[in-house]
């Protein structure tokens, strides 16, 4: 969790409502969270960073209503 929070902070993204569980028979963690940023390119930069991280198998960033 600290490494995940550090990645978010590096992109000026705040994390709220973080939860996680073991997946794939206890081999991996699956995280869910609400994230926010005031930077226009924040989520695009985060997506680029996660795509290039070999430890991240998959991710999804869904927009929330205003």
């Amino acid at each position: 969790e600290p490494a995940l929070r550090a990645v978010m902070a590096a992109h000026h993204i705040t994390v709220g409502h973080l939860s996680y569980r073991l997946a794939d028979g206890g081999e991996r963690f699956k995280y869910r969270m609400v994230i926010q940023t005031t930077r226009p390119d924040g989520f695009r930069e985060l997506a680029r960073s996660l795509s290039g991280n070999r430890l991240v198998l998959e991710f999804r960033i869904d927009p929330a209503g205003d």
Side-chain angles (χ1 to χ4, degrees):
E1 179 182 338
L4 177 61
R5 288 184 181 274
V7 169
M8 298 297 171
H11 295 287
H12 306 280
I13 292 174
T14 57
V15 176
H17 305 288
L18 175 67
S19 65
Y20 57 92
R21 67 177 175 88
L22 287 172
D24 298 327
E27 304 242 341
R28 294 175 174 66
F29 285 104
K30 182 173 185 174
Y31 291 89
R32 294 189 96 160
M33 68 196 81
V34 175
I35 57 176
Q36 298 177 342
T37 186
T38 57
R39 294 179 49 165
D41 295 333
F43 294 130
R44 182 175 35 247
E45 292 170 3
L46 174 63
R48 191 174 299 132
S49 176
L50 294 175
S51 292
N53 186 329
R54 65 177 181 79
L55 297 175
V56 176
L57 300 179
E58 62 183 68
F59 66 92
R60 183 173 76 200
I61 300 173
D62 292 325
D66 293 323

